[in-house]
């Protein structure tokens, strides 16, 4: 293998939403385990790699045949050292916490 070679490994997965429909709420343990796996993945990205995923949502989670949850959707991943991403949709500003829209008051 040389520096110009890229090797990819893939596995069969289904989107989380499809997996949950198939489960039909029958196994709460598998859901809590999946949430735990995603949390561990995010911890690894944040603490060990100094990265922010930036796109955690149901559409970025996939489940393999063994029921292991996998995080995908790394398009918005950035370094924790970078400034925050600008909001892509102005309409989302209405969801900002009130303290972000008020000017800071020094005491």
């Amino acid at each position: 293998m040389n520096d110009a070679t890229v090797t990819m490994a893939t596995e069969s997965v289904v989107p989380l939403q499809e997996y949950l429909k198939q489960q039909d709420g029958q196994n709460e343990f598998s859901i809590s385990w999946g949430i735990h796996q995603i949390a561990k993945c995010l911890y690894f990205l944040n603490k060990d790699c100094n990265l922010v995923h930036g796109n955690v949502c149901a559409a970025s989670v996939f489940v393999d045949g063994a029921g292991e949850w996998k995080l995908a959707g790394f398009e918005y991943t950035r370094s924790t050292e970078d400034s925050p991403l600008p909001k892509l949709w102005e309409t989302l500003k209405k969801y900002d916490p009130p303290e972000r829209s008020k000017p800071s008051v020094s005491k």
Side-chain angles (χ1 to χ4, degrees):
M1 204 183 297
N2 60 38
D3 290 340
T5 302
V6 175
T7 304
M8 295 183 74
T10 63
E11 60 184 310
S12 179
V13 294
V14 296
L16 176 61
Q17 292 171 325
E18 183 179 323
Y19 173 79
L20 293 175
K21 285 179 189 174
Q22 293 169 357
Q23 295 296 308
D24 197 25
Q26 295 177 6
N27 192 347
E28 290 180 15
F29 176 76
S30 67
I31 294 171
S32 63
W33 178 246
I35 293 170
H36 173 76
Q37 290 175 311
I38 298 303
K40 282 181 61 174
C41 178
L42 292 171
Y43 180 85
F44 170 75
L45 286 173
N46 293 157
K47 296 297 181 187
D48 296 343
C49 302
N50 294 319
L51 295 173
V52 174
H53 185 273
N55 190 28
V56 178
C57 62
S60 63
V61 178
F62 293 84
V63 184
D64 69 10
E68 301 291 315
W69 291 24
K70 311 290 182 173
L71 187 60
F74 287 87
E75 296 88 359
Y76 299 104
T77 302
R78 62 181 173 79
S79 169
T80 55
E81 307 297 319
D82 293 345
S83 60
L85 287 175
K87 287 217 170 152
L88 301 177
W89 302 279
E90 280 297 312
T91 57
L92 292 179
K93 281 192 173 189
K94 66 183 175 186
Y95 298 109
D96 280 348
E99 58 270 14
R100 285 198 82 192
S101 59
K102 294 179 185 174
S104 62
V105 178
S106 11
K107 293 184 178 183

